[in-house]
Amino acid sequence: MLKIKDLSKKFRDFNVLDHVNLNAEIGQIYGLVGSNGCGKTTLMKHIMMIYKPDEGDIFYNDVPVVEDSEIIKEFYFVQDNIFFPYQFTLSSLFAYEKLMYKNMSDEKFNRLVNYFDIDKNKKLNKMSKGQRKQAAFVVAISAQPKVLLLDEIVDGLDAVIKRKFWDVLFQEVMDNEMTVVISSHDLKELDNICDRVGIMHQGKILKEDDLEKMKDEIKRVQFAVDGEYEISDFKEFNVIKSVKIGSVNFCTLTGNIDEFRKKLEKEYKVLLFDRLSMSLEEIFITELGGAGYGTEKE
Amino acid sequence: MCLFKFFLDKECITTYNTVIVLIVLIHNGTLRFTLKGGFVLIKIDNNSSKAIYEQIYDEMAKLILSGAVKPDEQLPSVRELAGLLKISPNTIQKAYRFLEMDNYIYTIRGKGNFVGNAEKLRSIHIEMLKKELFKLIETLQRAGMSDDEMLKLIKEILDKKNDQEDLC
């Protein structure tokens, strides 16, 4: 497992990371999501030991990860703003990276180059942003890393390529039990794909859990009653948000749904009652709203 | 008898091999086609309060019990299903594991997941559920519920379920 414990880092006076705790199991797809500028990229750079933490530790399978750790040679980081050396093609990039990654697979590389239909002799810096991401991804998978960090890689890819991308990622996760930490702003895309999610804001992890558990904890209900629904009577169910559209109420709550329904039926004539699940996007907005983000009124 | 002699004839060996290969291809082709077509019918409802792995389990169990997929037929691999539905392979794996535990499917290492015997399964499953119901009835009795109350409750639940299904 990849474990980050109480990691803190300051840039001058700015707390870029504030006691970050992150836990990702082997073979898990971990979604690192957060507000713009919350520190996702910085956190990933710490895992790669590009930065050294001020406080806290990183462990991989209980072994500390420090600057000279051998295990970092089996971590691969695909950055958002990918830098390729001048005049490099995918072929030259592969040859170069092969020097550093001992598990680099020629067979995988060739297969993926075909699958993504990339011209491996074209200069990388002449490619479009999306094509550059594909190229970087191909090399990353060919390196067969134990931990793969992907910083906003799906953001900006077309729908067809995204499918191929997930296909390849799933295969690798299954075959090599690769641990993936993927950051993205496209929460609809990550929904159902991530096993575990960490929600970040201003250098802190606000919430981290298996996605399934998160969706079980925060629930949404839609209901309609005869008469006026008094929200104050239902405080014990911890209603986080309540919206009324027409005669239908939509409530987001963490309390027990069955009890909520029972009480509702006791106090009112219930015309409609449905439990809905929260999407990752909705959970994200709710959590960040709780931290005061995005709550400004127009 | 004649067929056997036919296949032994040297000049017919090529034909024989081609025929066998063709049969295997068609067999696999049909399987894959049916499966791919059949399994796009697994609809995952993102708005449902049921966990994704549970939905997959339920849809698969339904498919298997209905006989739409035959015993010993191969199911899509975890990876195929994950890619098709855009769901984490770990979630698919979880559903498959539960399906295997409940004897809906069996796994052959290195080959894949296969449909179990539906008739046998249904009776095994019902036997399991009967046992659970028995225990539950005992618990309710201990909690003080009378036989009449219990019967009334069961009727209530069934009526509610029937109403729900009518609405769907």
Side-chain angles (χ1 to χ4, degrees):
Chain A
M1 112 173 298
L2 177 68
K3 189 180 177 65
I4 300 178
K5 198 161 177 290
D6 282 328
L7 198 138
S8 298
K9 179 78 174 179
K10 252 182 156 151
F11 285 154
R12 301 258 178 106
D13 286 325
F14 178 55
N15 278 323
V16 60
L17 294 175
D18 190 354
H19 295 93
V20 170
N21 283 288
L22 184 150
N23 301 280
E25 299 282 346
I26 306 284
Q28 239 184 8
I29 301 176
Y30 186 104
L32 186 59
V33 302
S35 48
N36 289 340
C38 67
K40 304 188 291 292
T41 305
T42 311
L43 185 60
M44 287 186 170
K45 287 186 173 173
H46 275 84
I47 297 173
M48 296 300 291
M49 284 293 141
I50 294 171
Y51 292 140
K52 215 164 84 167
D54 290 336
E55 274 174 56
D57 303 285
I58 301 176
F59 299 95
Y60 182 74
N61 282 344
D62 299 320
V63 176
V65 177
V66 292
E67 210 169 328
D68 301 320
S69 287
E70 280 296 304
I71 196 67
I72 302 179
K73 294 189 181 158
E74 303 204 66
F75 291 0
Y76 199 103
F77 178 31
V78 182
Q79 301 197 48
D80 182 21
N81 295 312
I82 306 168
F83 163 77
F84 297 125
Y86 183 61
Q87 305 273 26
F88 260 43
T89 62
L90 185 51
S91 293
S92 40
L93 180 69
F94 178 71
Y96 172 65
E97 296 274 320
K98 199 171 176 185
L99 299 171
M100 295 184 283
Y101 288 92
K102 59 175 168 61
N103 287 327
M104 192 68 89
S105 159
D106 292 86
E107 183 263 324
K108 243 174 209 162
F109 176 71
N110 289 319
R111 203 170 13 100
L112 291 171
V113 165
N114 273 334
Y115 189 55
F116 285 102
D117 196 22
I118 306 175
D119 179 359
K120 56 182 177 176
N121 295 315
K122 182 172 179 179
K123 295 200 174 61
L124 290 161
N125 289 323
K126 286 208 189 299
M127 290 183 182
S128 72
K129 185 173 78 170
Q131 288 170 331
R132 300 221 306 274
K133 286 187 185 218
Q134 287 171 57
F137 181 65
V138 164
V139 179
I141 295 290
S142 306
Q144 305 192 93
K146 287 206 159 67
V147 173
L148 180 60
L149 307 174
L150 301 168
D151 198 0
E152 295 193 27
I153 195 165
V154 275
D155 303 44
L157 294 179
D158 73 58
V160 173
I161 296 298
K162 268 195 282 203
R163 274 283 166 147
K164 289 194 167 182
F165 166 84
W166 291 123
D167 244 3
V168 170
L169 197 73
F170 290 163
Q171 181 85 67
E172 201 63 26
V173 162
M174 294 188 63
D175 289 347
N176 288 341
E177 289 200 304
M178 182 175 70
T179 307
V180 181
V181 179
I182 178 165
S183 75
S184 179
H185 287 293
D186 191 347
L187 300 178
K188 284 199 175 73
E189 194 67 22
L190 288 189
D191 211 341
N192 295 341
I193 287 176
C194 291
D195 302 308
R196 199 166 166 80
V197 168
I199 301 178
M200 263 186 101
H201 181 56
Q202 292 179 339
K204 298 192 193 52
I205 295 250
L206 294 181
K207 198 180 185 71
E208 179 195 77
D209 213 341
D210 293 340
L211 187 52
E212 191 183 294
K213 291 203 190 106
M214 262 195 209
K215 290 190 175 189
D216 213 23
E217 190 193 307
I218 305 184
K219 305 154 265 243
R220 249 187 341 144
V221 286
Q222 69 182 20
F223 60 91
V225 295
D226 227 352
E228 274 308 308
Y229 160 68
E230 262 309 320
I231 185 176
S232 50
D233 292 338
F234 290 81
K235 273 213 190 79
E236 79 246 45
F237 297 103
N238 194 20
V239 179
I240 303 170
K241 197 162 85 172
S242 187
V243 172
K244 192 163 180 194
I245 299 179
S247 45
V248 184
N249 294 282
F250 296 88
C251 285
T252 307
L253 62 144
T254 58
N256 185 307
I257 297 274
D258 295 320
E259 297 294 313
F260 182 86
R261 183 180 190 159
K262 271 198 209 123
K263 180 161 184 178
L264 205 65
E265 285 170 341
K266 220 168 46 175
E267 316 245 331
Y268 306 90
K269 176 163 182 228
V270 177
L271 307 165
L272 163 77
F273 190 93
D274 278 312
R275 178 180 167 174
L276 308 169
S277 105
M278 293 266 279
S279 68
L280 175 58
E281 189 175 303
E282 286 154 349
I283 293 174
F284 177 86
I285 293 174
T286 304
E287 274 301 312
L288 259 64
Y293 186 68
T295 50
E296 304 84 1
K297 297 278 178 230
E298 259 173 65
Chain B
M1 233 0 175
C2 303
L3 220 59
F4 185 62
K5 268 180 88 180
F6 172 75
F7 286 133
L8 277 183
D9 191 319
K10 271 202 210 120
E11 285 170 288
C12 297
I13 298 259
T14 336
T15 325
Y16 173 74
N17 285 336
T18 321
V19 168
I20 293 298
V21 167
L22 268 173
I23 291 173
V24 169
L25 276 176
I26 291 170
H27 183 63
N28 282 337
T30 321
L31 265 176
R32 294 191 83 77
F33 187 68
T34 329
L35 283 171
K36 274 225 155 81
F39 286 109
V40 168
L41 294 177
I42 288 193
K43 16 176 186 72
I44 299 303
D45 183 2
N46 273 308
N47 267 327
S48 160
S49 59
K50 238 193 241 169
I52 301 288
Y53 82 88
E54 237 187 290
Q55 289 186 48
I56 297 172
Y57 175 99
D58 288 344
E59 293 285 303
M60 283 285 202
K62 236 192 317 189
L63 217 64
I64 291 170
L65 286 174
S66 72
V69 283
K70 305 279 176 264
D72 303 318
E73 204 170 298
Q74 183 164 22
L75 293 163
S77 68
V78 174
R79 190 217 131 184
E80 278 179 314
L81 210 55
L84 216 68
L85 299 172
K86 256 174 114 169
I87 292 175
S88 166
N90 291 311
T91 308
I92 311 278
Q93 187 77 283
K94 189 169 177 179
Y96 270 16
R97 242 184 296 131
F98 279 115
L99 284 167
E100 199 187 12
M101 270 191 335
D102 292 343
N103 291 304
Y104 281 97
I105 67 174
Y106 60 92
T107 313
I108 300 182
R109 272 215 96 145
K111 287 199 97 192
N113 300 292
F114 301 83
V115 179
N117 184 314
E119 279 315 311
K120 203 169 83 170
L121 297 176
R122 187 187 259 117
S123 42
I124 292 175
H125 202 204
I126 291 187
E127 279 313 307
M128 260 175 22
L129 293 170
K130 274 190 193 164
K131 286 200 187 108
E132 280 178 42
L133 184 62
F134 190 81
K135 276 195 225 146
L136 192 59
I137 290 176
E138 277 188 327
T139 313
L140 287 168
Q141 281 176 332
R142 260 182 278 136
M145 221 185 205
S146 72
D147 287 0
D148 279 336
E149 281 177 314
M150 249 189 269
L151 288 168
K152 194 168 157 234
L153 176 64
I154 293 176
K155 181 137 200 322
E156 246 180 64
I157 295 173
L158 286 173
D159 285 341
K160 220 187 220 175
K161 288 236 142 224
N162 288 331
D163 288 342
Q164 276 181 359
E165 270 160 27
D166 289 339
L167 285 173
C168 282

